Amino acid sequence: MIREDDPRFRITPFQQMASACTGALITSLFMTPLDVVKIRLQAQQKALLSNKCYLYCNGLMEHICPCGETGLVPRRVHFQGTMDAFYKITKLEGVSALWSGLSPTLVLALPCTVIYFVTYEQLRFRTKTFYNKMTATTDQPMWIPLISGASARTIAVTIVSPLELIRTKMQSKKLTYSEINTALKQVIKYEGYGGLFRGLGSTLLRDVPFSATYWTTFETAKKHITYPETEKNTFFFNFFCGSLAGSIAAFITLPFDVIKTHQQIELGEKEIYGDSKLKQKASNMQDIARNIYKNHGIKGMFTGLLPRIFKVAPACAIMIATFEYGKQFFQTYNTQKYKEKMQRHQEVVLMAKYA
């Protein structure tokens, strides 16, 4: 059996990047419709949404657009639930609306996904290696994937945050690159470089706990679930563990996701419309959470739970199963190359010996 941490066969960061890209592409194609429905149900809570700002997400990155300019939902539509949202979106906007923003998302989400997964793998491997040397064991305690997952998500989200601001401006209306450059200069002039990271706090509040919970659950499930050891690296087993981990992490962090959705909409309205009234509106996380609880109760903090679970569980399952399959593919490839290299070396030694 090939050891994953064997330095002779371990896959390179570039091979990890290729595995992550493949997973992100497949995940986005399959999971976009469910996240579009989830965001619609969450956004329905906001009265400001009726004739202004519409937020959707395909599982890798959120998008904000003004309804009037995109032609999305020309009048207020009330969704009774998940299936009703699927039906009404398809009927009023067409089937293609369920895959809204796929192209621009992939352009920016792929780098974020690559940074996230490669950083996690590198942090987990290096931390585990250091821990094993210090303790003379081969175990991986739960805190290693927890810290690695949280750290990797923090790094990835922070790096991509300025790109999300640019994307929001580009999607709000047609802008030339010179106009985007001018807009960014104005943000820096009046708000400093910190203005490029608007909304980062709420994003981290949602994504970091999710990543920490997800990776801890995933690695723990792989280790402790009773299953033949020779089949623990199969696509099916990784799919199951990824689905389980994603479901648990999605449930725990759903309130953060709801708050993030509301704050993202407010920030998008300010960027898109420059409404002076909106600029005076408080948009910190505590006020948003308090307002949601006041108007909708505890149930409001878990709006979109069903579509979020249905989306996140298979999305995490597909992403991690594809990623792990890619890792195994490259590990097998590296093993074969290593064997061929050793065989050629032995042939050279034998030829030199009998020459």
Side-chain angles (χ1 to χ4, degrees), residues 17-28 110 318-319 322-323 326 330:
M17 290 170 60
S19 300
C21 281
T22 303
L25 284 169
I26 296 175
T27 301
S28 62
L110 283 179
I318 293 172
M319 182 67 214
T322 306
F323 181 66
F330 285 117

Side-chain angles (χ1 to χ4, degrees), residues 36 40 54 71-74 77 79 85 87-98 100:
V36 168
R40 291 291 189 96
Y54 161 62
L72 298 172
V73 195
V77 178
F79 303 122
Y87 172 75
K88 289 180 179 176
I89 291 172
T90 303
K91 180 180 179 180
L92 297 176
E93 304 169 46
V95 176
S96 60
L98 295 174
S100 300

Side-chain angles (χ1 to χ4, degrees), residues 81 83 92 116 135 152 161 179 183 221 232-233 277 296 316 323 351:
M83 297 309 297
L92 297 176
Y116 173 45
T135 60
S161 185
E179 290 173 330
K232 279 199 171 183
N233 279 326
K277 292 181 180 180
H296 304 282
C316 289
F323 181 66
M351 289 176 63

Side-chain angles (χ1 to χ4, degrees), residues 126-146:
R126 294 178 186 277
T127 306
K128 181 175 181 291
T129 301
F130 178 77
Y131 175 81
N132 293 157
K133 287 182 179 179
M134 294 295 293
T135 60
T137 64
T138 58
D139 294 333
Q140 176 178 273
M142 289 178 59
W143 61 266
I144 290 181
L146 188 151

Side-chain angles (χ1 to χ4, degrees), residues 7-70:
R8 296 174 300 172
F9 314 130
R10 182 168 174 78
I11 69 174
T12 65
F14 179 80
Q15 291 172 333
Q16 291 173 349
M17 290 170 60
S19 300
C21 281
T22 303
L25 284 169
I26 296 175
T27 301
S28 62
L29 287 172
F30 278 92
M31 293 297 109
T32 296
L34 283 170
D35 219 5
V36 168
V37 171
K38 181 207 72 172
I39 293 295
R40 291 291 189 96
L41 290 172
Q42 291 178 357
Q44 188 170 253
Q45 292 179 164
K46 287 185 63 64
L48 287 173
L49 188 66
S50 58
N51 295 309
K52 286 188 175 180
C53 192
Y54 161 62
L55 184 149
Y56 59 88
C57 173
N58 77 348
L60 296 175
M61 188 169 292
E62 288 98 351
H63 297 261
I64 304 172
C65 288
C67 294
E69 293 183 21
T70 59

